[in-house]
Amino acid sequence: MKYAINFSARLIAIITCLLSFSVNMSAAEKPWNHGALKVSGNHRFFCHEDGTPFFWLGDTGWLLPERLDRDEAAYYLRSTAADGYNVVQIQVINGVPTFNTYGAISHPDGWNMAAVDNNEGYGYWDHLDYIVDQAEREGIYIGMVCIWGGLVKAGLMNVDQAKIYGEFLAKRYGNRPNIIWIIGGDIQGNIKTAEWDALAESIRALDSKHLMTFHPRGRTTSAGWFNKRDWLDFNMFQSGHRRYGQRMGNKDYPIPDGTEEDVWMYVDSATVHRPLKPVLDGEPSYEDIPQGLHHDYEPRWNDKDVRRYAYWSVFAGSCGHTYGHNAIMQFVRPGINGAYFADGEKKPWWKALSDPGRRQMKHLKNLMLAFPYYERVTDSLIVKDNGIRYDRLLATRGNDYLMVYNHSGRPMTLDLNRISGKEKHLWSMNPSDGSIRYLGKRKDGTVHIDPPAKAGEDFIIIAIDSKKDYLTPDMTEIPVLSDTPKKKDLTE
């Protein structure tokens, strides 16, 4: 009996030690352990307070608070973190009032937000608290779209109500480490501008720690309306879901005809504004959604399309990227179909978690973090024979490395003089699996490159000053860097 007691005590001690180790390891993996998110000193990227770079890799989970229960939310967030995502964008409410999967109501007494916790049992905001807590456990930031734009456009929140709501949100979530505020929600900023300003300013009055942006209507950017607002830390654009030539009756189209998929133009249109602020695509074409959204007979965007949107945007200068999937963003399942012809029987959201495009986005994040981060710029002069539409090549570089994304798999000519070094090592990268292949050493100057992949497949060319060792010839994939902070000059 004494032996059993000693064994049990020893077992308890071992388990306690292991649990403590697990907790400590889990805590060490959290991005906010490096300090709060902020805009880098060059006003183009995100970083933590200790200088650690942060590349935004977002997933679109709009209806997460409304459609998933506790177990499902935990499963989704765990899967999302495992696939390399560090931000999930949600709609806090998609109605006034909104009901979640438990039947809990968001606004039991209209905009009297003091009444939301007076109900008995597990309330709407208790469930959102749980989701934020679970995201924190997984190292994920929650990008809170506070209220969808269509609701405000319909008059369901006025300026005074926006102030009440903003104060409520800031008091409830302003001290959480993993919050990013997103004003708007698929709406132009010149519609109900006073309401959006009131919401943003009421949050900012109580919470100056967390980043804030505005999610605009398709084919527009927040910069045109709010770039000079003190509450706007970075710009967001929605490149949208239309293919080339899908004007679809719009008279006041904000971009030139035939440029619907030219995602880099949104980056350019935001970065011409002053003061300069980081920018990213908060809603590109979703995987498995019909092109143009409105007809089921249209082809659907696939994994190669979502890769193109991601690499074009980031190589053009974006500070990150948000991915989306038609089934996941609205969490369809058997018995619950969604908008845009999402079939919950054919592909429920949990099966869509394994779709190829979603699994491939982490390779972009790994690539961006493998090189000196803050010096990276877009550079069109690297490409000597650029094309249009799918033959467009997007190039980005630092001082001693460059990368070019080739969507159509065509031959290309590059100017290696744009980075340092008399000789360069070259690699090709397959963005569908993150694999790299060493192509050899080239002299400085102009180089012609035939596609290393099969005809029509997208690929990336990486060139590095031969004196640098960011990659080595024996590597077969981009290294996944740890979160060990590196001292950076954030005034660059």
Side-chain angles (χ1 to χ4, degrees):
M1 191 69 173
K2 181 179 179 181
Y3 175 80
I5 293 174
N6 289 340
F7 177 79
S8 298
R10 183 177 300 174
L11 182 61
I12 291 171
I14 292 172
I15 292 173
T16 301
C17 181
L18 289 173
L19 286 174
S20 175
F21 177 75
S22 175
V23 169
N24 289 336
M25 286 296 290
S26 179
E29 295 167 359
K30 303 299 185 291
W32 38 84
N33 288 350
H34 299 298
L37 279 184
K38 56 182 288 187
V39 173
S40 64
N42 60 17
H43 308 289
R44 295 188 291 113
F45 302 108
F46 298 135
C47 65
H48 293 279
E49 289 176 324
D50 68 359
T52 303
F54 179 82
F55 180 85
W56 172 306
L57 186 61
D59 191 24
T60 307
W62 292 136
L63 294 183
L64 169 58
E66 295 84 5
R67 290 272 173 92
L68 299 193
D69 64 24
R70 289 167 64 95
D71 289 340
E72 292 168 334
Y75 174 76
Y76 163 72
L77 290 166
R78 186 164 57 250
S79 170
T80 300
D83 283 331
Y85 295 90
N86 49 25
V87 179
V88 170
Q89 296 172 196
I90 67 169
Q91 288 183 33
V92 174
I93 55 173
N94 72 333
V96 184
T98 298
F99 293 87
N100 66 18
T101 189
Y102 295 105
I105 187 172
S106 63
H107 292 68
D109 187 24
W111 286 102
N112 174 21
M113 302 309 293
V116 301
D117 289 322
N118 292 336
N119 58 318
E120 295 182 2
Y122 187 64
Y124 185 91
W125 299 97
D126 295 322
H127 190 49
L128 185 59
D129 295 345
Y130 172 82
I131 290 170
V132 173
D133 288 342
Q134 288 300 116
E136 182 180 349
R137 288 172 62 91
E138 300 296 341
I140 290 176
Y141 288 90
I142 292 294
M144 284 192 171
V145 175
C146 306
I147 179 172
W148 205 241
L151 303 177
V152 181
K153 185 178 180 179
L156 297 180
M157 185 184 77
N158 61 34
V159 169
D160 290 337
Q161 293 163 344
K163 292 177 181 178
I164 293 170
Y165 185 43
E167 181 179 352
F168 165 78
L169 290 174
K171 287 181 176 178
R172 194 170 190 111
Y173 300 108
N175 289 323
R176 304 297 185 98
N178 60 325
I179 298 298
I180 297 169
W181 300 111
I182 304 179
I183 309 302
D186 197 30
I187 191 169
Q188 295 174 196
N190 58 347
I191 299 173
K192 299 291 185 178
T193 306
E195 282 81 351
W196 299 124
D197 277 327
L199 178 61
E201 290 166 0
S202 62
I203 293 173
R204 183 60 82 217
L206 296 175
D207 178 15
S208 61
K209 301 186 297 295
H210 294 111
L211 295 176
M212 183 179 288
T213 190
F214 182 93
H215 178 271
R217 186 74 172 167
R219 295 157 299 284
T220 66
T221 77
S222 60
W225 302 295
F226 299 115
N227 191 73
K228 292 186 177 180
R229 296 293 203 276
D230 290 337
W231 56 259
L232 188 112
D233 296 303
F234 65 100
N235 282 301
M236 182 175 280
F237 63 90
Q238 181 187 161
S239 58
H241 310 276
R242 296 182 183 177
R243 68 170 180 266
Y244 290 123
Q246 282 187 322
R247 187 179 183 97
M248 302 185 73
N250 288 69
K251 295 180 179 179
D252 300 320
Y253 211 48
I255 60 173
D257 288 348
T259 63
E260 289 80 359
E261 298 179 55
D262 290 344
V263 63
W264 61 85
M265 73 163 49
Y266 304 104
V267 183
D268 293 345
S269 68
T271 54
V272 298
H273 287 268
R274 292 296 179 269
L276 179 64
K277 295 182 178 182
V279 62
L280 61 85
D281 194 347
E283 188 174 334
S285 292
Y286 291 160
E287 190 167 14
D288 199 33
I289 203 167
Q291 296 176 10
L293 297 181
H294 303 298
H295 302 289
D296 195 26
Y297 57 75
E298 295 283 7
R300 300 203 174 201
W301 298 111
N302 59 32
D303 58 316
K304 187 179 178 184
D305 296 310
V306 300
R307 291 198 303 270
R308 171 171 53 86
Y309 271 76
Y311 283 89
W312 272 358
S313 176
V314 171
F315 281 27
S318 289
C319 61
H321 188 72
T322 296
Y323 161 87
H325 192 290
N326 193 23
I328 297 170
M329 63 100 169
Q330 49 193 329
F331 295 99
V332 298
R333 67 180 74 215
I336 301 179
N337 288 334
Y340 313 119
F341 312 100
D343 188 334
E345 293 283 348
K346 185 177 181 181
K347 182 176 286 186
W349 66 266
W350 55 84
K351 287 188 177 181
L353 294 177
S354 298
D355 271 13
R358 187 175 192 270
R359 292 282 176 87
Q360 293 163 1
M361 291 295 102
K362 61 187 174 185
H363 304 310
L364 171 61
K365 184 178 76 170
N366 293 338
L367 179 64
M368 292 298 101
L369 294 175
F371 301 94
Y373 193 73
Y374 302 104
E375 66 187 43
R376 186 176 66 82
V377 295
T378 187
D379 188 351
S380 61
L381 297 179
I382 291 171
V383 179
K384 306 303 292 184
D385 54 352
N386 222 333
I388 62 171
R389 295 194 172 185
Y390 297 139
D391 281 335
R392 180 82 172 185
L393 306 176
L394 267 292
T396 187
R397 66 168 176 83
N399 297 327
D400 46 32
Y401 69 92
L402 65 82
M403 296 174 276
V404 181
Y405 177 75
N406 186 321
H407 175 71
S408 64
R410 68 180 181 88
M412 57 186 178
T413 303
L414 308 179
D415 183 2
L416 302 185
N417 285 313
R418 301 297 296 172
I419 61 173
S420 66
K422 295 182 179 179
E423 291 184 318
K424 277 82 174 182
H425 291 293
L426 268 64
W427 288 260
S428 65
M429 173 180 162
N430 182 347
S432 68
D433 62 12
S435 64
I436 59 174
R437 181 165 64 92
Y438 183 60
L439 301 179
K441 188 182 293 187
R442 304 290 180 91
K443 295 290 186 181
D444 199 17
T446 300
V447 59
H448 178 82
I449 296 177
D450 291 318
K454 295 179 181 178
E457 290 186 357
D458 57 336
F459 67 94
I460 297 157
I461 289 296
I462 305 168
I464 303 175
D465 185 332
S466 62
K467 295 180 180 179
K468 303 296 180 178
D469 60 355
Y470 308 127
L471 301 178
T472 57
D474 60 314
M475 287 183 175
T476 58
E477 61 183 4
I478 297 294
V480 180
L481 299 186
S482 69
D483 287 332
T484 302
K486 298 179 181 180
K487 296 296 182 181
K488 295 288 183 181
D489 179 8
L490 298 185
T491 64
E492 59 182 306

